[in-house]
Amino acid sequence: MQVELIFMPTRSNEISLFLAFCIEQYKQRHHLTGEQSMRLMDQYNVLDYLQTNYEPLHTQNAQWIMEDIDEFINLRKQ
């Protein structure tokens, strides 16, 4: 008898994948290293923002999300 394993993503896994996607996209958009990208996101609490607002954000396209992150960081720099 063969058992088929089916991956059932949990909400926690979905959010983790979304955060990883955002980190990677932001890194590429701004030509940063992973460390530089994470340092910025930590400094401005971007990951908390993304996680808290996962529901509306994960439905947007990558460009819109990156622009939103840029705006979020710029508002906190002021």
Side-chain angles (χ1 to χ4, degrees):
M1 181 170 130
Q2 184 177 1
V3 176
E4 184 177 330
L5 298 177
I6 300 173
F7 176 70
M8 297 294 293
T10 64
R11 180 168 171 77
S12 178
N13 287 344
E14 289 174 359
I15 293 172
S16 294
L17 289 171
F18 175 69
L19 295 177
F21 169 80
C22 290
I23 293 165
E24 186 63 26
Q25 290 294 309
Y26 191 81
K27 178 183 92 167
Q28 290 177 12
R29 177 183 174 101
H30 293 286
H31 308 288
L32 302 171
T33 66
E35 183 178 340
Q36 291 169 323
S37 180
M38 282 306 301
R39 195 176 311 127
L40 267 173
M41 292 194 172
D42 283 342
Q43 181 177 357
Y44 296 105
N45 297 317
V46 175
L47 296 180
D48 289 339
Y49 166 73
L50 294 173
Q51 186 170 357
T52 301
N53 295 285
Y54 168 76
E55 283 304 321
L57 291 175
H58 86 281
T59 63
Q60 304 302 316
N61 67 40
Q63 181 177 341
W64 191 93
I65 295 168
M66 294 305 105
E67 290 170 2
D68 192 52
I69 292 171
D70 286 338
E71 181 179 350
F72 183 84
I73 290 173
N74 287 331
L75 288 171
R76 272 130 197 88
K77 283 183 177 180
Q78 298 174 1

